[in-house]
Amino acid sequence: MDNRTQLYTAIRLAVGCSLVGGSALTFAQEAPQVADAVEEVVVTGTHIKGLDAEGAVQVVQINRDDIEASGATSPIEILQQLSQTGGGSGTFSTATSGALSSSTPVGAAGVSLRGLGASSTLVLVNGRRVSVSSFAKGQESFVDVNSIPLSAIERVEVLPSGAAATYGADAVAGVVNFVLRDDFTGSEVSLTHGNSTAGSDEGKYNLNWVWGREGERSHTMVVVDLFSRNAMYDRDRKLTANSVRPSQQGIYPSFNDDFFLYNDGISFDQTESVAAGCPADQLKTGRLGEYCEFNTNAVSATQDEYESASVVATFNYDISDNLEWFNTFMMQTSESRGTSAPANFSYVPVDPESPLWPEALAQDIVDVAAEQELRGFAPYDFTDFYGFPIFAWGKFPDARAVEVENQSVRMVSGLRGEVNDWNWEVAANVGRSESEQRGISGLYKSEPFINALVGNLCSDGTVVDRWEVDMQSPSNTSYGAGETCEDLGKTTAWYNPFGGQVDQVDAIDQFVRTDAKRSGESNLYAIDGNISGSWIELPAGAIQVAFGGEFRRETVVDVPSGDAVSTTLNPEPILGFSSTSADASRNQWAVYMEQMIPLAADTELQVALRYDHYDSFGGDANPKVALRHAFNDAIIFRSNWSTSFRAPSLAQVGAGTLLSSYRVDCSVTPEACDGLADETGEALLSEEVSNNDLEPETATTWGAGFLLKPTADTEISIDYWNIEHENLIGVEEDDFILRALNGDFAVVGEGELPTGQPGLEVDGSGFVVDAHFQLSNLGWQKTSGIDMALTQYFETENWGSFRLTLDGTYLAEFDKLPSDALGIVSEAGNYTYPRWLANSSLRWRYEDWSTTLSARYTHSYRDDPDSRTLGALLEPGAEYFLSRVNFDDEGNVEVDSWLTFDLSVARDFDNGSWLSLRVNNLLDEEPPLVLGTGANVDHFNHNSLGRFYTLSYGYAF
């Protein structure tokens, strides 16, 4: 760790020194131009070599020039710029990670096409699979695209339609294929530094070296990439600095004895205890009494602190003129940190005999109880509370923060050649991802915490039975009059919930706080082979065909800390922290066939069929048919139809119990709220449990479109896509609650549902107070829309060359039927599903100069605030937020559309060096307010980073 820190410090110094001497006029550049090599390649979407990239299936390509001009430093930044990856909560980056069960894994990023989720998008490297992340997103496996260094990528090919007939499972929404550089010759070093102009330090630093050597019969290339990025916090931006609705549980807890006191929560009088108490501007009164509010945005991270070191090496050797041995090696190590809001504690007992009670607070409780006289009598002094617990509602003083170290390795070795005009290839593919997560703050073990509140915990870790603690329902803790620590000659280790909880004895660190170490490992072992060529001559030409097969073994093991494993007797072992576990392995084999049939000189038909067999649930065959017809050189029609499937991911097949949270929506499930649809449902500390009977998801995809070339300098594409996705795997909480109440799952009293068993707990008043949701095959979802793109080239004699691009995606529908009981839910145009996503750019080249001005547009959509958030807008101090809220004619909250501009400027120098400047969000446009998120920003569709510059210098020799 120390060596790595020193290394990244050296990188920062090296980058800083290389940029200090720059003039006030800064520049940018695009990648040095290299003569195009004439080579038959395999286009993503087929195994047949040499087919036209403008074929029967839509493929989006991002080449090396585009990558360099984008200013991106990671693959996810490139992919987030595509309109096909937006919408919903599928594509995620480190901006959505953290220590909560709802967060994405710290340091990882996943790509999703069409909003269908990362597990429905197949990620390939050089056309082959890579191992999934060892830590899943909840119980959804995905490939961490951050494990692929951007400097090693030659181009990215995106096939935004179903491709199971070609590549097998997980390609329901399409394929993202990273094609690595392998033909570089020479040596190139580049340094990159970026930061925002906001005054906070979100600096990123990147140093990479590319070296390639051409031998008589061989080619070797090595890429070394070092990257470091500082964290960004919600508090660093005006829009996200404060919660719209601050938490009613703060580090100065509220108290209630649940007997004398009328209000559920009571805080001490600020005027009587200024030194030890809640700041005056945070002391509030609600329907439960007084509380000290807490601004969770003051501590939550917007993006991780992240460091990585990567090596990519390729070695190709021509054994003969028709036989090549190829090899690829990738290795990355990374370290990242995610920070979330402090955990809550609710209804926890505190011993009134604790010597830590502030005198003013104790007297305040007595005075309020005396005023209420609810039981016909009132306490005379605080000793009247002895022997009965006083309950506390609050929040721990330190943020939940975890650190993740990840190592990934990938090796591919194979042979390819040509025999009688037939191309063949065979390869072995091995991949591994290992991760370790360690809590660094804010993780508290519930049982010793409660024992320390009631005086049961001794300073040496011994636990006495002065109080009888019920961890299934801590509110049932009762005085047992057992021995104290002092009776045993020891010292009681009291937890201090007062004065901001900052003054604690050493035993609290030793026995109450935990680092909850978690480890994970995933492995991939695969062998594949294919052969392609021409076989039957037709009047319009030869039929092109490819045959192939693959065998794959995958394993995943995710082992949580023992401190975090839920049990029936202790259902929430670490307060506000989730444990996940998985242990699964499976074998899969597949065979496939593809044909390109020339029906006429201007018409071709592509057909494909693939059969996959899994040892866990059997086999599945998927066909694909695509047609391409050229009316003339200017108009090409293309269409496709296919079926796809997604096998349950290893994280789902081998899932353990995942701790989660959910608030019951009484308007949807009034039966869970004693039939009262207008009530506020209970906030559940719930579980997600496994299901051994999961079946694969299935999908049917079809699309049609036109490629238009009205002139030699104009290209237009219009494509319609339609995906019907059925048998979805997941958890639909409202549907589960309705099914359980209808008798499909157990419904028991409070505290009676064993851990790991699906069902509900209902209290005596008829409210659901706990739920163990089970992974299930749900209903269907259907999405459709149109992709449009325009590319226009302009060549001038004296002003250089120009290229104008426009592309956008219109989301026509995104309908879901989670269950018959809930009915169809239409997402398009609603929360996180904007109808329109669009990009445009104007690139100019003149001699050694180039510049690109680009724009990105996200359409407005309907927000999803709850009633308590809307009510908070009327509170004093919320004027800033209220002024930014828009209501439509029906009274619904609308999220504003968002338009940002980026500018890059570049120059190549005669000595082989280049300099570039990229400014993202040139006008520093603040993202729109989104009330449906705790951060006030939709990080899936918007970005709160603000204006960000990236300065790069490279030298090739």
Side-chain angles (χ1 to χ4, degrees):
M1 179 72 67
D2 293 339
N3 291 338
R4 179 181 293 177
T5 302
Q6 293 172 5
L7 174 62
Y8 284 104
T9 301
I11 295 172
R12 289 186 171 96
L13 291 174
V15 174
C17 291
S18 69
L19 300 178
V20 163
S23 65
L25 195 62
T26 52
F27 309 91
Q29 78 92 62
E30 294 182 324
Q33 297 302 297
V34 182
D36 293 336
V38 179
E39 178 188 5
E40 279 194 326
V41 297
V42 177
V43 179
T44 299
T46 179
H47 291 285
I48 301 174
K49 261 192 175 183
L51 290 190
D52 190 350
E54 297 177 347
V57 179
Q58 177 190 9
V59 178
V60 179
Q61 288 199 17
I62 308 169
N63 60 32
R64 187 70 201 165
D65 280 0
D66 297 324
I67 293 173
E68 293 285 354
S70 71
T73 50
S74 66
I76 196 63
E77 293 178 40
I78 289 289
L79 294 167
Q80 285 177 314
Q81 296 178 16
L82 298 177
S83 58
Q84 290 86 355
T85 63
S89 58
T91 296
F92 61 87
S93 69
T94 56
T96 58
S97 68
L100 309 184
S101 61
S102 57
S103 302
T104 58
V106 171
V111 60
S112 163
L113 294 169
R114 309 302 190 195
L116 296 181
S119 62
S120 294
T121 299
L122 179 61
V123 175
L124 307 174
V125 174
N126 287 345
R128 288 185 168 85
R129 290 177 178 258
V130 294
S131 56
V132 298
S133 170
S134 48
F135 288 164
K137 176 190 175 186
Q139 291 175 331
E140 178 184 25
S141 295
F142 68 96
V143 171
D144 179 13
V145 298
N146 275 350
S147 65
I148 308 167
L150 193 64
S151 56
I153 298 172
E154 177 63 27
R155 66 182 185 274
V156 183
E157 299 174 341
V158 179
L159 175 68
S161 61
T166 307
Y167 296 108
D170 308 334
V172 171
V175 177
V176 176
N177 182 29
F178 295 95
V179 180
L180 302 181
R181 305 167 72 177
D182 66 354
D183 59 356
F184 182 87
T185 300
S187 189
E188 180 182 271
V189 176
S190 63
L191 299 169
T192 299
H193 169 64
N195 211 333
S196 72
T197 59
S200 50
D201 184 8
E202 289 87 35
K204 63 179 179 181
Y205 307 83
N206 187 216
L207 168 64
N208 62 70
W209 171 59
V210 184
W211 173 85
R213 180 180 181 275
E214 188 80 37
E216 182 178 350
R217 304 183 66 89
S218 66
H219 184 275
T220 306
M221 189 194 73
V222 178
V223 178
V224 178
D225 187 282
L226 303 176
F227 178 76
S228 176
R229 183 193 64 206
N230 296 334
M232 173 182 169
Y233 294 89
D234 289 346
R235 61 177 178 264
D236 294 331
R237 298 295 183 271
K238 182 179 180 180
L239 179 63
T240 58
N242 295 288
S243 304
V244 174
R245 182 172 59 83
S247 172
Q248 294 189 15
Q249 292 179 241
I251 60 174
Y252 297 93
S254 298
F255 297 92
N256 187 316
D257 76 329
D258 213 17
F259 182 80
F260 284 119
L261 302 178
Y262 176 78
N263 293 322
D264 286 346
I266 180 67
S267 176
F268 52 85
D269 189 340
Q270 167 66 20
T271 60
E272 295 182 13
S273 183
V274 176
C278 174
D281 62 342
Q282 297 173 22
L283 186 63
K284 308 290 181 181
T285 301
R287 66 183 182 88
L288 302 179
E290 291 179 324
Y291 63 89
C292 188
E293 69 179 15
F294 185 85
N295 176 25
T296 56
N297 289 21
V299 295
S300 298
T302 311
Q303 68 177 12
D304 300 341
E305 177 183 337
Y306 183 81
E307 296 179 348
S308 67
S310 308
V311 176
V312 176
T314 64
F315 176 73
N316 297 346
Y317 183 79
D318 293 330
I319 299 173
S320 69
D321 292 342
N322 295 317
L323 182 61
E324 179 188 21
W325 178 36
F326 62 92
N327 301 271
T328 301
F329 172 78
M330 296 175 58
M331 180 177 68
Q332 185 197 67
T333 178
S334 66
E335 185 175 299
S336 53
R337 176 179 295 188
T339 307
S340 302
N344 290 342
F345 52 82
S346 303
Y347 220 149
V348 295
V350 181
D351 188 348
E353 293 188 62
S354 167
L356 304 177
W357 279 91
E359 182 177 343
L361 173 58
Q363 187 59 50
D364 189 48
I365 290 176
V366 172
D367 292 344
V368 172
E371 291 175 3
Q372 293 173 352
E373 296 189 53
L374 294 181
R375 311 295 175 180
F377 59 92
Y380 290 101
D381 57 46
F382 199 61
T383 59
D384 290 340
F385 290 88
Y386 287 4
F388 302 94
I390 295 178
F391 300 102
W393 288 259
K395 194 180 301 287
F396 290 111
D398 45 345
R400 284 167 286 185
V402 296
E403 188 174 71
V404 174
E405 294 184 7
N406 184 77
Q407 295 83 36
S408 61
V409 177
R410 181 175 189 261
M411 293 178 287
V412 176
S413 183
L415 296 169
R416 64 168 67 100
E418 184 178 338
V419 177
N420 296 329
D421 294 328
W422 284 74
N423 297 294
W424 62 272
E425 185 173 304
V426 63
N429 178 9
V430 177
R432 171 175 291 186
S433 173
E434 296 181 85
S435 303
E436 182 174 276
Q437 176 177 288
R438 179 178 62 89
I440 53 179
S441 70
L443 306 186
Y444 291 78
K445 293 185 286 187
S446 57
E447 188 166 8
F449 167 65
I450 292 176
N451 279 320
L453 285 173
V454 298
N456 280 358
L457 180 67
C458 304
S459 57
D460 64 351
T462 302
V463 177
V464 298
D465 58 355
R466 184 163 175 263
W467 289 77
E468 296 178 0
V469 175
D470 181 359
M471 292 307 303
Q472 287 181 290
S473 182
S475 60
N476 292 333
T477 295
S478 59
Y479 187 67
E483 291 181 316
T484 66
C485 293
E486 283 68 22
D487 291 338
L488 302 178
K490 305 176 186 293
T491 302
T492 301
W494 292 99
Y495 184 88
N496 183 5
F498 313 108
Q501 307 177 63
V502 294
D503 186 16
Q504 304 293 347
V505 297
D506 293 341
I508 300 302
D509 270 338
Q510 186 176 359
F511 302 113
V512 177
R513 295 189 176 104
T514 177
D515 61 4
K517 283 187 178 179
R518 168 192 177 193
S519 61
E521 180 181 310
S522 73
N523 291 281
L524 168 71
Y525 310 94
I527 298 175
D528 68 86
N530 66 76
I531 185 170
S532 66
S534 304
W535 63 338
I536 300 175
E537 287 288 340
L538 297 179
I543 296 177
Q544 305 293 311
V545 66
F547 300 96
E550 175 187 17
F551 173 81
R552 187 169 73 248
R553 177 170 177 78
E554 297 173 288
T555 66
V556 166
V557 176
D558 186 352
V559 181
S561 165
D563 289 343
V565 176
S566 176
T567 66
T568 301
L569 296 179
N570 189 5
E572 192 184 9
I574 299 177
L575 289 165
F577 186 71
S578 174
S579 70
T580 63
S581 63
D583 187 357
S585 62
R586 66 184 175 202
N587 297 332
Q588 180 266 339
W589 59 266
V591 291
Y592 57 85
M593 178 273 295
E594 299 177 47
Q595 292 188 77
M596 190 284 289
I597 306 171
L599 302 179
D602 51 13
T603 306
E604 65 182 38
L605 177 69
Q606 292 184 23
V607 294
L609 179 66
R610 178 176 174 123
Y611 177 79
D612 290 83
H613 187 276
Y614 287 77
D615 59 7
S616 53
F617 66 83
D620 192 83
N622 288 275
K624 182 171 187 174
V625 179
L627 178 69
R628 180 182 187 271
H629 175 72
F631 292 95
N632 50 47
D633 291 342
I635 303 176
I636 299 173
F637 171 77
R638 59 189 181 189
S639 62
N640 65 87
W641 174 91
S642 65
T643 66
S644 299
F645 79 107
R646 186 182 80 82
S649 67
L650 288 175
Q652 293 169 335
V653 170
T657 297
L658 169 66
L659 300 183
S660 59
S661 60
Y662 180 71
R663 179 175 289 278
V664 175
D665 188 341
C666 297
S667 64
V668 178
T669 57
E671 298 89 341
C673 308
D674 195 30
L676 305 174
D678 295 333
E679 281 291 318
T680 298
E682 294 291 326
L684 311 181
L685 295 171
S686 52
E687 297 180 1
E688 293 181 11
V689 301
S690 61
N691 185 348
N692 295 328
D693 298 322
L694 291 176
E695 298 178 357
E697 300 176 354
T698 60
T700 301
T701 303
W702 68 274
F706 288 91
L707 293 172
L708 308 176
K709 295 185 177 182
T711 71
D713 296 327
T714 306
E715 299 174 359
I716 301 172
S717 66
I718 303 174
D719 290 279
Y720 171 82
W721 45 270
N722 185 297
I723 303 174
E724 296 186 17
H725 196 182
E726 299 179 343
N727 223 21
L728 303 174
I729 299 174
V731 169
E732 180 57 53
E733 291 88 353
D734 295 328
D735 175 63
F736 181 90
I737 291 173
L738 291 175
R739 291 167 58 199
L741 293 174
N742 287 330
D744 290 354
F745 300 98
V747 177
V748 297
E750 188 172 359
E752 297 178 5
L753 189 64
T755 291
Q757 177 181 330
L760 303 177
E761 293 183 2
V762 179
D763 67 9
S765 60
F767 279 69
V768 171
V769 294
D770 195 9
H772 297 179
F773 303 112
Q774 186 179 51
L775 278 172
S776 303
N777 288 105
L778 306 171
W780 53 261
Q781 62 186 10
K782 177 181 179 181
T783 181
S784 64
I786 299 175
D787 293 332
M788 292 164 282
L790 163 69
T791 303
Q792 178 67 55
Y793 299 92
F794 304 92
E795 295 289 340
T796 67
E797 292 185 5
N798 300 319
W799 295 93
S801 62
F802 296 83
R803 188 192 73 175
L804 172 68
T805 63
L806 298 169
D807 69 87
T809 294
Y810 175 72
L811 181 64
E813 64 177 338
F814 200 115
D815 292 345
K816 298 179 179 179
L817 181 69
S819 71
D820 292 334
L822 293 178
I824 296 176
V825 179
S826 295
E827 301 283 13
N830 289 318
Y831 182 64
T832 73
Y833 288 87
R835 291 276 189 183
W836 277 103
L837 294 169
N839 305 291
S840 68
S841 69
L842 177 63
R843 180 179 296 184
W844 166 70
R845 296 179 186 270
Y846 180 70
E847 295 180 348
D848 296 329
W849 291 84
S850 64
T851 184
T852 302
L853 176 65
S854 56
R856 301 182 63 190
Y857 174 78
T858 303
H859 196 53
S860 63
Y861 57 84
R862 184 174 293 180
D863 206 345
D864 187 32
D866 58 33
S867 58
R868 292 185 300 165
T869 299
L870 289 175
L873 294 173
L874 303 178
E875 294 289 331
E879 294 81 8
Y880 168 71
F881 297 116
L882 185 60
S883 67
R884 296 178 59 100
V885 176
N886 294 323
F887 294 92
D888 62 16
D889 295 338
E890 299 176 356
N892 299 305
V893 180
E894 286 284 331
V895 174
D896 288 337
S897 60
W898 195 46
L899 176 65
T900 60
F901 294 92
D902 306 330
L903 176 67
S904 66
V905 184
R907 188 183 178 187
D908 298 334
F909 298 97
D910 293 338
N911 63 357
S913 64
W914 51 266
L915 187 65
S916 72
L917 173 68
R918 171 83 175 189
V919 182
N920 288 345
N921 197 350
L922 183 67
L923 303 181
D924 201 19
E925 289 289 338
E926 194 174 52
L929 172 68
V930 181
L931 297 175
T933 69
N936 309 339
V937 171
D938 172 10
H939 286 299
F940 294 104
N941 293 294
H942 307 130
N943 188 326
S944 60
L945 191 57
R947 184 188 295 115
F948 194 92
Y949 70 86
T950 303
L951 185 59
S952 299
Y953 173 77
Y955 180 66
F957 51 92

